[in-house]
Each structure stands twice: as structure tokens, then as C-alpha cells.
Amino acid sequence: MNVFNVAFLGAGRMGLTHLRNLAGVPGVHVRVVADTGLAKAENGAALVRAERATDDIGAAIGASDVDAVLIATPTGTHAELIEQCVRAGKPVWCEKPVGLTLADTQRVLRTVERSNIPVMIGFMRRFDPGYAAAKRAIDAGDVGRVERFRAISCDFTPPALAFIKTSGGIFVDMSVHDFDLARFLVGDVAEVSAWGGALIDPGYAEVGDVDTAVAMLRFANGALGVLEASRRTTWGYDIRTEVAGSRAKLVVEAPQKTPLLTSRDLGYAGTHYESFPDRFEAAYRAELAYFFACLRAGELPEPGVRDALESLRVALAATRSLKEGRPVKVEEI
Amino acid sequence: MNVFNVAFLGAGRMGLTHLRNLAGVPGVHVRVVADTGLAKAENGAALVRAERATDDIGAAIGASDVDAVLIATPTGTHAELIEQCVRAGKPVWCEKPVGLTLADTQRVLRTVERSNIPVMIGFMRRFDPGYAAAKRAIDAGDVGRVERFRAISCDFTPPALAFIKTSGGIFVDMSVHDFDLARFLVGDVAEVSAWGGALIDPGYAEVGDVDTAVAMLRFANGALGVLEASRRTTWGYDIRTEVAGSRAKLVVEAPQKTPLLTSRDLGYAGTHYESFPDRFEAAYRAELAYFFACLRAGELPEPGVRDALESLRVALAATRSLKEGRPVKVEEI
Amino acid sequence: MNVFNVAFLGAGRMGLTHLRNLAGVPGVHVRVVADTGLAKAENGAALVRAERATDDIGAAIGASDVDAVLIATPTGTHAELIEQCVRAGKPVWCEKPVGLTLADTQRVLRTVERSNIPVMIGFMRRFDPGYAAAKRAIDAGDVGRVERFRAISCDFTPPALAFIKTSGGIFVDMSVHDFDLARFLVGDVAEVSAWGGALIDPGYAEVGDVDTAVAMLRFANGALGVLEASRRTTWGYDIRTEVAGSRAKLVVEAPQKTPLLTSRDLGYAGTHYESFPDRFEAAYRAELAYFFACLRAGELPEPGVRDALESLRVALAATRSLKEGRPVKVEEI
Amino acid sequence: MNVFNVAFLGAGRMGLTHLRNLAGVPGVHVRVVADTGLAKAENGAALVRAERATDDIGAAIGASDVDAVLIATPTGTHAELIEQCVRAGKPVWCEKPVGLTLADTQRVLRTVERSNIPVMIGFMRRFDPGYAAAKRAIDAGDVGRVERFRAISCDFTPPALAFIKTSGGIFVDMSVHDFDLARFLVGDVAEVSAWGGALIDPGYAEVGDVDTAVAMLRFANGALGVLEASRRTTWGYDIRTEVAGSRAKLVVEAPQKTPLLTSRDLGYAGTHYESFPDRFEAAYRAELAYFFACLRAGELPEPGVRDALESLRVALAATRSLKEGRPVKVEEI
């Protein structure tokens, strides 16, 4: 088995998770960990026994002993770093999103499509065993014609308001994962209508965002959908996705985090997942394994920048609907 | 225990179910079963050993040995029969709806409110142990401030298109139960936005209706909701209701009809309910018991005609939104 | 539909439950409620508008306007009352058990079998939708050859020690239901080995009983089984039955009493049933309906006295095994 | 973080799984993979980029650049290899069992206890999030006094009869994991009574074993338990463990392998796990991480050889009970 030597960019919390997962992927060796904070880079490098750590990200990308680049840096840097990698001829796996604006994402898409360099964007949910099995069932015709879609994604712990200001809003920051699933499982979204409110914290309204939102989706193939999003629950990471068709209905939901039920006081209790890292632990491992399997097989990994662009477009349509109080066609965006 | 002697109107399929349930309510005796078809009336009367059967409905209502009237006749007759009972001074339990138009329902409401005669409308879901417990939890503050509501109600078997023409449309005929639950569990609905389509059978479009619909709800207290409805599934009666608040989330769903799981071929399988009569079997019994308990205690039973009116108003707002392609405020109706 | 006029004997707590259920069975009319306490008899009679109440049980059985007798009197009276009914030529439904000793039960069996009068014993679990569906699946061959059986039945609230003294012991009093299910679902039990202890309350040991017990079953067809019983839990009525075969496994368990899940604090919670009356509410109704359907069809209802005898025999074998510390073949009993 | 350099012995199917998991444990580097088949060793070495592969197992253990040894060789070699490692002063993690005979296991225990070298035996279930949480709950007193224990473990695919002959029998080969859990969660087992049969394949009887078994356990603290084991199911790996006490009941069971439910035809279906590698995927990773965390902290990892010895003793008592048809006290063994 030929070994891929990689540069890993961004050794923050999720970066370390990816590094640990990478260590379990056979045939991959991390040559260099780069982070603008050198201590973080060194910490990441030690974790996987990488040859070197650096705060010179450009040098890491360009290094002659690096075959591929993995990007887990802050969102604002993704577009520029992907382009840099592509120019250097290095295949890329990058955390979602490519960018928060359509213009940025379109520019990256053009660069990538001209190059034919493999670029995969980390919509990890597609690699969860539940979503992957749902996709296979739909493609196999087991669900028949899809008629309805339902997505709910609510976080347990709200982010700091400082982050909200630059997040792109609840649909671009959170629901984009659901829009990606909608496209993955059902197909193109034609129209969105959204409502929202600052029900949890009035601070969201002050920064022009909402903390609670609902939306309707109209798919190009006629299917209809609903979506819910919330920045905070008291019961854990609340994520459930349903696809109903003429033959069957699929529900993707992990019913309990720990395989333990406790009974007492005339009832029983189980545990919910806390957030995306624990709910999607297996998915994060699977997507990296898939990325390198594609490189090895000479295939273009998916989802790529075009998927990121199309999901962003839906998120922006929802955002505009929310602001303008009217249904918005995705083609307007 | 004083015994209530009742007249039972309408001995069709649901009428017989109610008659059987009535037989299990202590302190109630059916004196007369009335139906425009005398054979049906006699069949119903035999079932509960009622003294007499008749096709003269007016006589049954007016009979001097009748203390209360239960109405399970076709929808189009409800308004007129309720008014007749009220004029005769007889307490009424009547299957939902009061009427399919706002005018009819408002007229009945005026008659009822002037009279102070107890009139209960059969929104049986409120008496399901799950919904009743949800209501108690919300009233006790266990859920905190309600932020989100979700309802899905899909029938297993679609009705004949001939019925659809006179049904009032999917929101008035089917989702009105969900609008009643929305009001019961969360509070007044201020605005609705709805989309729909004839995805199952183009015949729905030909009669000006849809077979698949989604909607967003905005409650007067700021909470947001989503709703799904479908006339046909292949997997059974699909009904689930969620209420999420600042402290907890409630999910009302009966996970399986029969308490049996069968495992084979690397998987397991359970059964869904088929339709409202089996899913709400206990609720139908409970609502009749409650009605007579109220009469005995001298209390006005709920939900009454005003609830029916308000839920209808939401359903009509959804219908208008569907037709006009815009959000509709309930106060417009 | 011809109407069965019945005498109902025993208007205690379970008697009233049966009376209420009886009221919902079409074609059945309670003529007389009898109880050694006249006030209780009158209370029961009022509940179902029976013509009369009496403390003369013999008169009730013998009354010329009584077609069938239902017995819900204390256990110690069952054998004698069944025999009295059979001598009077009246079909009988009687709460389990027939008697606590083999001799009593055998005597009743002889009387019944000579007479050809229908006598049904109230092992209501067989009429639960879950157990009934399990039986149908096994009979249809869906499970293949049965290899393993597992039963657990634990009560929520322990009975008074005064009752324990005369109960016949944990296997005769509680597990006899599981032995009946074992025979119903798998077949004859050939051998039992049992262990027990007074783990909850040392008072059980003082009266020669145990409050916690386990057992192994060897069936005549070679299948093997395990059984657990406990007089007290803190989490509700704990009852689950499993049948595993060469083709499939069946698990009969009602996962939650109320169709409501509450999520909060990183977890979710549901409710357990409290005891047999709520867990088997539907079964109690179904068994009475079945009894009268058999009478109407001229068929002998099951389970009858022979089933009660055979299940008692297994329970006595378990009791002997517990006392003698060795496996006991059922044919020894 | 100091790095542990390890020798990995045995590159068969489970060996490769452990190697992949090891790759995800930070601070661990595989220096050498050894297997009596050199090609297998080389395959394993390539997987984790180990410096070298060898068929000289002794040399791998003794290598001066090896800090610790992981053993995943065939069962028959464990005892000897553990002793060799201990003599070489190298900490050991070894797949269960230490040996199939008491004598072998006792000899290894003496060697290990004299040495004070950390030796951990791979009873991986203890590291499953469900079992680990159950243990914490019991230790915290949440369950109260333990009264009952239930274990079921059934394999999906039966092993070849050739393996069965040398397996030590169903209790030593399969149920030893349940006996380990019994001791882990409840405490010492005092007595066992077991029954079994060749219900699936008469070949088991021919080699003096059974394919289906049940047992009762009596714990030193008075608690009682039941156990089921089977070599073959058609529905997947069937494993469920229950601990019931005076305050609560714990059920450890993974309800579905894939977080997806499919509804159709009036029912719904989910998936079971297929076998221990998929059910205990997380546990396998966790136990290796724990082993190195102990080494790093200077603590003795558990379970060790003494635990393996005691669980084997219970398994041998069950085996003797099965053969002799009587309850067997564990102290007899």
C-alpha cells in the first residue's frame, strides 16, 4: 500500500480530533502540522508523531514531501487555503464551509474545476452509517418517489454572541448541514420559506440573527420539506432526519448515546448525544478514510466545492426569506 | 350514582365504536339510538340493549326520558343537530367538526354560549394518555417557555376522491386535529404559511385540493412550529407531535401498536398503528367518560364549540395560505 | 344477536374491573352481582345496572335467568364455585387459579371433563395483543424450532406478608402466569430447577417463601428456558418474555405505558407500567369478549382447567426444586 | 508526551483490528509486528508503518527498543507468551483468555504477581460505554443492593466444529465474557447450575459440547442470576445484560447498529449488530487507550490475570454442572 504523506492545517479542538482519526487511517502519514500558533502545531504534531510542526502554513502546503493537505483552520481562511493547495497541485480535504459568501465559494469552485485536483468538503453527516444507509436505500428505489423531507438540528450549547456576529446566520452556520442532507437525499431545493425569532436570547436579534428558526422547502422534484433549528436545548444535540416516499419512510436518528437504560421510579431513562463530535464520531473517521480511498483509486471524492456552493445557496435563500418575510426561490440567489 | 339516559345519533362505523365505548362507562344508559337508516339504528340499539331505535332524530333528541345527546352523524348535520339539542336543553357531545365553514360554526357558538348548555366537541387526541400527560407537564412548567412545536399526521389509507371534494381540504379535514393540539399545548396561533401539492394522486389537484402539505406556524407567544400532512403512507398512521421548550422537550408518539418485536435476518421489526381508531382507542373511551364526569360534577366540558371555531380558523388560514401563496394571519379569517 | 344473561360473583377490586369490561362486551347482560358482602354486591350491580344484587352466591348461580357465571371471588373459593356452576349446567369463566393444590385442581378437572360444560380460566396474558401475536407467529412456523425461552415477571408493590403465607409461594402465585406462557408458546415443561432467596424482606424466609427467584426450564421438545421473579421493584411492573428459535426471536414487552418521551438534562425518560391491571387492560377486555364469542359459537374456550392444572404442576415442581435444592422433573408432581 | 514503543504479536483478523485501533492511540508507536507467518507480520507492519516485521516472536518481545507487548496470537500461546514478556520485564496487554485450564492460568498468575509487571487481559466489554456506565452507577450506589443479574450472549454465525473441539466448551469459550461481567458488575459467583443441549447441530454433542445453554448463578452476596448462550442466531449478535437492585435496574443493550429505522407495510425495522467486532468497536479502542494511560500513570491496569482466573473458574464450574447434572460450587473448582 502506497503511503500518503499529508500536511495538516489547523490544530484547534476539531483539528486534534481529525488528527487522532487520521492516525487510525492505514496508509496515511502526517508529515507536518501547521498552525498560526506554533505551540498548537507542535501539540498536534506530537499527537501523531509528525516529522515537523510549523506556523508557516504556506510552507506546509508547498512542501515537496507532502502529497495531500487537510484543512481544519478557522472558516474565514478556507477559501484562500483551498486555492493555494490547488495551485500547488495538492489534493485537499477541507472542513465545511468553503466560505460564507457566494462570491468566495464560486471563485474557489472555478479554481478547483479548472484544475481537476480532488477537493472534498467535510459534510461529515453523509458518512454517518445512518445517512449513508438512507442514501443507499433511496438510490435503490426502496423509498419510491420522495414526497416529504424533515430535518431538525438543534445544538445543546449556544455559541458566544461574538461568534454569532460573524457566523453568517443560523441557516448558513447550522442548517447548511441539513440543506446538504436535503440535496444528498432528496435532490435540488427550488424554493425556501423561513421564519425565525430570538426566543432564547434577545442578543441574537441585536446582531441581526435568530436563535430559533423554521423553514419549508420545495424541492425541484416536487417533494416538500420542513426544517427546524435552534441554538440551544437542555436535552442534548437534537438531530433527526426523515424522508418519506411512496414506498417507505426513513428516520435517521441515534436513539441513545450510551447503550444503557436505567429504570427507577416507574420510568426509565437513557442518554442523548451532546453535540456533533460525539454523534458523528464514526462519520468523522469514515470521511477521512473515504477521502484517501478515493485518492488511492484515482476517483474524485464527494461532496466537493459544487455541493458546498449549492447548499450555501439554499442557506442564503432561507436567510433572505427570513429577512424579507416571503418565500424565496433558490435561483434568485 | 345517578344514571344519565342518553340518545345516541348516528350508528355508522364510528357511531358503533362510540356505542361500545359508552357501554363501558358506568352510570350511562342509552335509551334510544337514532339514525336516518332504521336498520342501522336497530343494530346500534341491540349492541347496547337500548330501549328503542328510531329514524326520527328529532324525536330522539326531544324525548322526555333523554338527559343528554351524543352525535356521531355525518359532518354536514352537526351544526343543526347541536343547535336542536341546545334548544331542547340537552347537553351534547358531538364528533368534530361543528361545521366546515366559519359562519356555521360561529352561529352554533352563539347559540351555545347564550344557553349555557354543556357542549363538548370530540377532539379525542386531548384525551390520549400521551397528549394529556404532555399538557399536564406544560401547565406545570416542566417544559419552560415553549419555543418550537412540530406536528405530523399522515393517514395510511387515502379516502375516496368523492369525499375529498366535500371535505373542506386537507387542513380543515385532517390537520385541524393538529391545529387543535397546537392550541391545546402551546396557545393561540397567530400566522400560518402553507405549501402543498398533489404528489400522490393528480385527482386531488383536479378537485382543488392537495394530498401532501407542509406548513409553518407562528404562535401568539412567539413560538414557531412546523406541520406535515399526507393522505397516504405505506407504513401506517404516522402521527407524532413534539413540543420543545427552554427546559425540556416532549415527544408524543406511540412507538408500536403490538407489544412484540420480531428479530430475524440481522434486524428487528415492530408494528405501526393503522389509523386513528386503533391509535386513539383509549382516548375515545376516556373522552366519553370525561364528558359524563363533567355533567355529573356540573362542570363545562372542554374542548367546546369555541375551541372548534378557533382550530377551524387556523385551518382556514392555512388553506388560504396554500391557495394564495403567502403567509396568512389568523386574524384575517 | 342473542344476549347472554350472567351472574357475576365477587365484586372486589378486580371484580369491578371485570364488570366494567363486561359492560363493553356486546350481547352480554349482568342479571345479578353476588358477593358475601351485600354492599359490595350492590355497588357492583349499580355499576352495570344489573337487575339485582345478593349475598347468596348459590342462588345467583342457580337462578333460572342466568346463562353463564363469571367468578372473581377469592382464590380459595374457586374450585368449589366452579364445581357448583358445572353441576348447575352453567358455563364458567373464572379468575386463575383453580386452586393452589394439585388435588383440588384435579378434582375440578374431573368434574368439568365429565360434564362438557365450557369452563375457562383467566390466564389473561394469552389475550394480550403481543402474546397473541407471538403465538400466531410460532404456530405459523415463523420462529422455526424453538430453542430458548425467557420470562421475567416482577411486581412493583409487594403484597402484605399475611397474604404471602397463604399464597402458595412465589412460583404458584406469581410465576404460574409465566409457566402458562411457557406452555402456551413453547410446549410442555419436562423439568425445572429453581433457586430463591429472601433478598428484599427477611419476613419471606420466616413464612417459608422467597421474594426473589430464578429458575431453569427444560421443555419436552428439548428447548431450554430461564425465568426470573421478584416481589418488588422500584421501577414498575417488569415483565418481558422472549422466545428464540431457529428462524427468529420474539420479544413481548410493552416499552412504555404512556406514549410520551420527555427529554432534558442530556437524556430522555419514559414511563413503565405499574402492575398487571394497567399492563393487561386490553387483555382483560379481550378475554371476556373471547369467552362469550366461544359460547355463541358453541366452542370450548381455552385455557381451561387442564391448562391450569398443567401450569400449576410446573409451579409445584419449581417450588419443590427450590426447597430440595435439586432439579425436579414435572412428572414427579 | 513520552511515546511507548510496542511489539505487536499476532497479525490475524483481530490482530489487524487492534493494530488499526492502536494507530489511533496517541503516544504509541508499533516498532515491530511479529507473527509465525512472516507475510502476515509484514502486512500488519505496513498497516501501521512499523519499523519491522518478523516471524521470531521471542526476538520481538526481547527487543531493546520495545517498551510493551500486545498479544493477539492464538489462544493456546497466550500463557507462554505472557510469561515470556513478564520475564523480559515488559508490560503486557493480551487478548482473553490467559488459558483454557486452571493450571495454566494459575501458573501465569503466580509469575505475574511475583513480578509486579502490568498485565492486562482483554475483556473488552468492560470498556464499552454501556457497561462502563453501568459499573459507575452500581459503584455509586444508584442501583442499591443488587438482587438479580441476567446475561444473554448469542453469536450470529456458529464456528466450525473443528474449532469447537478445542474451544473449552461453550461456557469457557463464550460465556466467560458474561461471567467476567457478572463479577465486574455484581461480585464473586459462589455457585452455578447449568443445562445445555445440542439443539442447533448434533455435531456439538459428538464432540462433547452443547450449542445452547442456560445457567443460574448464585453470587456470594446473595444475588441470583440467569444466563443464556447460543452458538447461532438468525438475527445477529444477541447480547443484553441486566442488573436489578433495590433502587434501580440497568439494561445494557445497543438497540440498533445503524441509526436508521425504515417504515413500510404497517411496520418498521432496524438493524442488529452482527458480532462482537462491530458491537464492541468502541470498547476495543477504549481498552487499548486505557492500557497505555495506566502505563503512563504508573497504575496497574484491570482486568488482570486474577480476573481471568476467577472468570475461568466460574466457567469451569458451569461446565462441570452441565456434565454432572447438579449445581456446582465455584470453590469446588
Side-chain angles (χ1 to χ4, degrees):
Chain A
M1 184 191 287
N2 58 325
V3 169
F4 287 100
N5 292 295
V6 311
F8 194 95
L9 317 184
R13 192 169 60 91
M14 276 308 295
L16 295 182
T17 297
H18 289 304
L19 276 168
R20 264 186 295 265
N21 290 339
L22 212 47
V25 181
V28 176
H29 178 62
V30 181
R31 284 278 166 190
V32 52
V33 176
D35 196 294
T36 51
L38 185 58
K40 288 166 88 175
E42 284 168 346
N43 182 35
L47 195 68
V48 292
R49 290 170 47 84
E51 269 80 358
R52 54 194 194 273
T54 178
D55 58 3
D56 183 343
I57 289 180
I61 293 171
S64 61
D65 63 350
V66 160
D67 304 321
V69 181
L70 281 73
I71 304 175
T73 55
T75 290
T77 65
H78 290 179
E80 169 61 26
L81 289 174
I82 294 172
E83 291 180 308
Q84 224 173 310
C85 292
V86 168
R87 282 194 298 266
K90 306 284 171 81
V92 178
W93 173 92
C94 180
E95 265 286 14
K96 73 100 203 170
V98 172
L100 297 181
T101 69
L102 211 60
D104 278 357
T105 311
Q106 282 168 325
R107 198 191 65 224
V108 173
L109 178 61
R110 280 191 302 269
T111 305
V112 168
E113 294 201 333
R114 269 198 306 263
S115 76
N116 212 29
I117 296 288
V119 177
M120 178 174 166
I121 306 303
F123 285 100
M124 78 292 181
R125 290 188 191 177
R126 293 188 180 203
F127 297 90
D128 172 71
Y131 289 104
K135 172 67 170 166
R136 285 193 301 271
I138 292 167
D139 286 351
D142 294 350
V143 173
R145 179 187 174 186
V146 173
E147 293 162 359
R148 283 176 293 108
F149 172 81
R150 186 234 178 172
I152 175 169
S153 294
C154 303
D155 279 348
F156 177 54
T157 312
L161 272 179
F163 165 78
I164 293 299
K165 284 183 205 176
T166 64
S167 70
I170 195 166
F171 290 124
V172 169
D173 182 48
M174 284 185 66
S175 304
V176 70
H177 277 294
D178 295 301
F179 296 134
D180 182 64
L181 286 179
R183 293 183 59 257
F184 180 57
L185 297 174
V186 184
D188 284 339
V189 177
E191 191 175 7
V192 189
S193 187
W195 285 352
L199 304 183
I200 297 164
D201 181 347
Y204 281 79
E206 289 163 21
V207 300
D209 199 359
V210 299
D211 51 34
T212 305
V214 295
M216 297 189 292
L217 307 181
R218 192 191 301 276
F219 290 86
N221 60 18
L224 297 167
V226 295
L227 176 145
E228 289 172 77
S230 167
R231 288 286 189 182
R232 182 272 290 125
T233 76
T234 64
W235 53 89
Y237 185 47
D238 196 341
I239 171 166
R240 179 180 166 111
T241 312
E242 304 177 11
V243 177
S246 56
R247 292 201 189 141
K249 175 179 179 173
L250 307 177
V251 176
V252 183
E253 187 179 41
Q256 56 181 43
K257 176 176 177 178
T258 304
L260 173 69
L261 281 185
T262 303
S263 290
R264 81 178 76 209
D265 299 337
L266 281 176
Y268 62 92
T271 48
H272 284 306
Y273 284 88
E274 188 166 338
S275 60
F276 59 90
D278 62 352
R279 169 63 183 87
F280 289 109
E281 190 187 3
Y284 280 114
R285 282 199 305 273
E287 70 168 340
L288 292 186
Y290 162 83
F291 172 70
F292 288 103
C294 284
L295 294 194
R296 191 159 280 125
E299 291 166 7
L300 282 180
E302 290 189 327
V305 177
R306 178 163 292 282
D307 289 293
L309 177 69
E310 293 306 324
S311 297
L312 175 62
R313 203 188 293 275
V314 181
L316 292 171
T319 307
R320 184 177 295 178
S321 172
L322 182 65
K323 300 223 186 280
E324 302 185 2
R326 62 171 183 94
V328 171
K329 293 204 190 307
V330 174
E331 65 187 17
E332 289 184 42
I333 305 297
Chain B
M1 183 193 287
N2 59 325
V3 169
F4 287 101
N5 293 295
V6 311
F8 193 96
L9 316 184
R13 192 169 60 92
M14 276 309 295
L16 295 182
T17 296
H18 289 303
L19 276 168
R20 263 187 296 265
N21 289 339
L22 212 48
V25 182
V28 175
H29 178 62
V30 181
R31 282 278 167 191
V32 53
V33 175
D35 196 295
T36 52
L38 185 58
K40 288 166 88 174
E42 284 168 347
N43 182 35
L47 193 68
V48 291
R49 290 170 46 84
E51 269 78 359
R52 54 193 194 273
T54 179
D55 58 2
D56 183 343
I57 290 181
I61 292 172
S64 62
D65 63 350
V66 160
D67 305 321
V69 182
L70 281 73
I71 304 174
T73 55
T75 292
T77 65
H78 291 180
E80 169 60 24
L81 290 174
I82 294 172
E83 291 180 308
Q84 224 173 309
C85 292
V86 169
R87 283 193 297 265
K90 307 285 172 79
V92 178
W93 172 93
C94 180
E95 264 288 14
K96 74 102 200 167
V98 173
L100 297 181
T101 68
L102 211 60
D104 278 358
T105 311
Q106 283 169 324
R107 197 192 66 225
V108 174
L109 179 61
R110 280 191 301 270
T111 306
V112 168
E113 293 201 334
R114 271 198 305 263
S115 76
N116 212 28
I117 297 288
V119 177
M120 176 173 168
I121 306 302
F123 287 100
M124 79 291 181
R125 291 189 191 174
R126 295 188 179 201
F127 297 89
D128 171 71
Y131 290 104
K135 172 67 169 167
R136 285 193 301 271
I138 292 166
D139 286 352
D142 294 350
V143 173
R145 179 187 174 186
V146 174
E147 293 162 358
R148 282 176 293 108
F149 172 81
R150 186 235 177 170
I152 176 171
S153 293
C154 303
D155 279 347
F156 177 54
T157 311
L161 272 178
F163 166 78
I164 293 299
K165 285 183 203 176
T166 63
S167 70
I170 195 166
F171 290 124
V172 168
D173 182 49
M174 284 185 66
S175 304
V176 70
H177 278 294
D178 295 300
F179 296 134
D180 183 64
L181 286 179
R183 294 183 57 258
F184 181 55
L185 297 173
V186 184
D188 285 340
V189 177
E191 191 175 7
V192 189
S193 188
W195 284 352
L199 304 184
I200 297 166
D201 181 347
Y204 282 80
E206 288 163 20
V207 301
D209 200 358
V210 298
D211 51 36
T212 305
V214 295
M216 297 189 292
L217 308 181
R218 192 191 301 277
F219 291 86
N221 61 18
L224 297 167
V226 294
L227 177 145
E228 287 171 79
S230 166
R231 287 287 188 181
R232 183 270 291 125
T233 75
T234 65
W235 54 90
Y237 185 46
D238 195 342
I239 171 166
R240 178 178 168 112
T241 312
E242 304 177 13
V243 177
S246 56
R247 291 200 189 142
K249 174 179 180 173
L250 308 177
V251 176
V252 182
E253 187 179 40
Q256 57 181 41
K257 175 176 178 177
T258 304
L260 173 69
L261 281 186
T262 302
S263 291
R264 82 177 75 210
D265 300 337
L266 282 175
Y268 63 92
T271 48
H272 284 306
Y273 284 89
E274 188 167 338
S275 59
F276 58 91
D278 62 350
R279 168 64 184 86
F280 289 108
E281 191 188 2
Y284 280 114
R285 284 200 304 272
E287 72 168 339
L288 292 185
Y290 162 83
F291 173 69
F292 288 102
C294 284
L295 294 194
R296 191 160 278 125
E299 290 166 7
L300 282 179
E302 290 190 326
V305 178
R306 178 163 292 284
D307 289 293
L309 177 68
E310 294 305 325
S311 296
L312 175 63
R313 202 189 295 275
V314 181
L316 292 171
T319 306
R320 185 177 295 179
S321 172
L322 182 65
K323 300 219 185 285
E324 302 185 1
R326 64 172 182 92
V328 171
K329 292 202 191 308
V330 174
E331 66 187 18
E332 288 184 42
I333 305 297
Chain C
M1 185 192 288
N2 59 325
V3 169
F4 287 101
N5 292 295
V6 311
F8 194 96
L9 317 185
R13 192 169 60 92
M14 275 309 294
L16 295 182
T17 297
H18 289 304
L19 277 168
R20 264 186 296 264
N21 290 338
L22 213 47
V25 181
V28 174
H29 177 62
V30 181
R31 283 278 166 191
V32 53
V33 175
D35 196 295
T36 52
L38 185 58
K40 288 168 87 174
E42 285 168 345
N43 182 34
L47 194 67
V48 291
R49 291 171 43 87
E51 269 79 357
R52 52 193 196 273
T54 178
D55 58 3
D56 183 344
I57 288 180
I61 292 171
S64 62
D65 62 350
V66 160
D67 304 321
V69 182
L70 280 72
I71 304 175
T73 56
T75 291
T77 66
H78 291 178
E80 170 61 25
L81 290 174
I82 294 172
E83 291 181 306
Q84 226 174 306
C85 293
V86 169
R87 281 194 298 266
K90 306 285 173 80
V92 178
W93 173 92
C94 180
E95 264 286 14
K96 73 101 204 171
V98 173
L100 297 181
T101 70
L102 211 61
D104 278 358
T105 311
Q106 283 169 325
R107 199 191 64 226
V108 174
L109 179 61
R110 280 191 302 270
T111 305
V112 168
E113 294 201 333
R114 270 198 305 264
S115 76
N116 212 28
I117 297 287
V119 177
M120 177 174 166
I121 306 303
F123 287 100
M124 78 292 182
R125 290 188 191 176
R126 294 187 180 203
F127 298 90
D128 171 72
Y131 289 104
K135 172 67 169 166
R136 285 193 302 271
I138 291 168
D139 286 352
D142 294 350
V143 172
R145 179 186 175 185
V146 173
E147 293 163 358
R148 283 176 293 107
F149 172 82
R150 187 236 177 169
I152 176 170
S153 294
C154 303
D155 278 348
F156 177 55
T157 312
L161 272 178
F163 165 78
I164 294 298
K165 285 183 204 176
T166 64
S167 70
I170 195 166
F171 290 124
V172 168
D173 182 50
M174 283 186 66
S175 304
V176 71
H177 277 294
D178 295 300
F179 296 134
D180 183 64
L181 286 179
R183 294 183 57 258
F184 180 57
L185 297 174
V186 185
D188 284 339
V189 177
E191 192 175 6
V192 189
S193 188
W195 284 353
L199 305 183
I200 297 165
D201 180 347
Y204 282 79
E206 287 163 22
V207 301
D209 200 358
V210 299
D211 51 35
T212 305
V214 295
M216 296 188 292
L217 307 181
R218 192 192 300 277
F219 291 86
N221 60 17
L224 297 168
V226 295
L227 176 146
E228 288 171 77
S230 167
R231 287 288 188 180
R232 182 272 291 125
T233 75
T234 64
W235 53 91
Y237 185 46
D238 195 342
I239 171 165
R240 179 178 167 112
T241 312
E242 303 177 13
V243 177
S246 56
R247 291 202 190 140
K249 175 180 180 173
L250 308 176
V251 176
V252 183
E253 187 178 40
Q256 58 181 42
K257 176 176 178 177
T258 304
L260 173 69
L261 281 186
T262 303
S263 290
R264 82 178 75 209
D265 299 337
L266 281 175
Y268 63 92
T271 48
H272 284 306
Y273 284 89
E274 187 166 339
S275 60
F276 59 92
D278 61 352
R279 168 65 183 86
F280 289 109
E281 191 187 3
Y284 280 114
R285 282 200 305 273
E287 73 167 338
L288 292 185
Y290 163 84
F291 174 69
F292 288 103
C294 285
L295 293 194
R296 191 158 280 124
E299 290 166 7
L300 283 180
E302 290 190 327
V305 177
R306 179 163 292 281
D307 289 293
L309 177 69
E310 294 306 324
S311 296
L312 175 62
R313 204 188 293 275
V314 181
L316 292 171
T319 308
R320 186 177 295 177
S321 172
L322 182 65
K323 299 223 186 281
E324 301 186 2
R326 63 172 183 93
V328 171
K329 293 202 189 310
V330 174
E331 66 187 16
E332 287 184 42
I333 305 298
Chain D
M1 183 192 286
N2 57 325
V3 169
F4 287 102
N5 293 295
V6 310
F8 194 95
L9 315 185
R13 192 169 60 93
M14 276 309 295
L16 295 182
T17 297
H18 288 304
L19 276 169
R20 264 186 296 264
N21 289 339
L22 212 48
V25 181
V28 175
H29 178 62
V30 181
R31 283 278 169 191
V32 53
V33 175
D35 196 294
T36 51
L38 185 58
K40 289 167 87 174
E42 284 169 346
N43 182 35
L47 194 68
V48 291
R49 290 171 44 87
E51 269 80 358
R52 54 194 194 274
T54 179
D55 57 3
D56 182 343
I57 290 181
I61 293 171
S64 62
D65 62 351
V66 160
D67 303 323
V69 181
L70 280 75
I71 304 176
T73 56
T75 292
T77 64
H78 291 180
E80 169 61 24
L81 289 175
I82 294 172
E83 291 180 308
Q84 224 173 308
C85 293
V86 168
R87 282 194 298 265
K90 306 284 171 79
V92 178
W93 173 92
C94 181
E95 264 288 13
K96 74 100 200 167
V98 173
L100 297 181
T101 70
L102 212 60
D104 278 357
T105 311
Q106 283 169 324
R107 198 191 65 224
V108 173
L109 179 61
R110 280 191 302 270
T111 304
V112 168
E113 294 201 332
R114 269 197 306 264
S115 76
N116 213 28
I117 296 289
V119 177
M120 177 173 167
I121 306 302
F123 287 100
M124 78 292 182
R125 290 188 191 176
R126 294 187 179 203
F127 297 90
D128 171 73
Y131 290 103
K135 172 68 170 166
R136 287 194 299 273
I138 292 167
D139 286 352
D142 293 349
V143 173
R145 179 187 174 186
V146 173
E147 293 162 0
R148 282 176 294 108
F149 172 81
R150 186 235 177 169
I152 176 170
S153 294
C154 303
D155 278 348
F156 177 54
T157 311
L161 272 178
F163 166 77
I164 293 299
K165 285 183 203 175
T166 62
S167 71
I170 195 166
F171 290 124
V172 168
D173 182 49
M174 283 185 67
S175 304
V176 70
H177 277 294
D178 295 301
F179 296 134
D180 183 64
L181 285 178
R183 294 183 57 258
F184 181 57
L185 297 173
V186 184
D188 284 339
V189 177
E191 191 175 6
V192 189
S193 188
W195 284 353
L199 304 183
I200 296 165
D201 181 347
Y204 282 79
E206 288 163 21
V207 301
D209 200 358
V210 299
D211 52 35
T212 305
V214 295
M216 297 188 293
L217 308 180
R218 192 190 300 277
F219 290 86
N221 60 17
L224 297 167
V226 295
L227 176 145
E228 287 171 78
S230 167
R231 287 285 188 182
R232 184 272 291 125
T233 75
T234 65
W235 54 89
Y237 185 46
D238 196 341
I239 170 164
R240 179 179 166 112
T241 312
E242 304 177 11
V243 177
S246 56
R247 292 201 189 141
K249 175 179 179 173
L250 308 177
V251 176
V252 182
E253 188 179 39
Q256 57 182 41
K257 176 176 177 176
T258 304
L260 173 69
L261 281 185
T262 303
S263 291
R264 80 178 76 208
D265 299 338
L266 281 176
Y268 62 91
T271 49
H272 284 306
Y273 284 89
E274 188 167 338
S275 61
F276 58 92
D278 62 350
R279 168 65 184 86
F280 289 109
E281 191 188 1
Y284 280 113
R285 283 200 305 273
E287 71 168 340
L288 292 186
Y290 162 83
F291 173 69
F292 288 102
C294 285
L295 293 195
R296 191 159 279 125
E299 289 166 8
L300 282 179
E302 289 190 328
V305 178
R306 179 163 292 282
D307 289 292
L309 177 69
E310 293 307 325
S311 295
L312 175 62
R313 203 189 293 275
V314 182
L316 292 171
T319 306
R320 185 177 295 180
S321 172
L322 183 66
K323 299 219 186 282
E324 302 185 2
R326 63 172 182 92
V328 171
K329 292 203 191 306
V330 174
E331 66 187 18
E332 288 184 42
I333 305 297

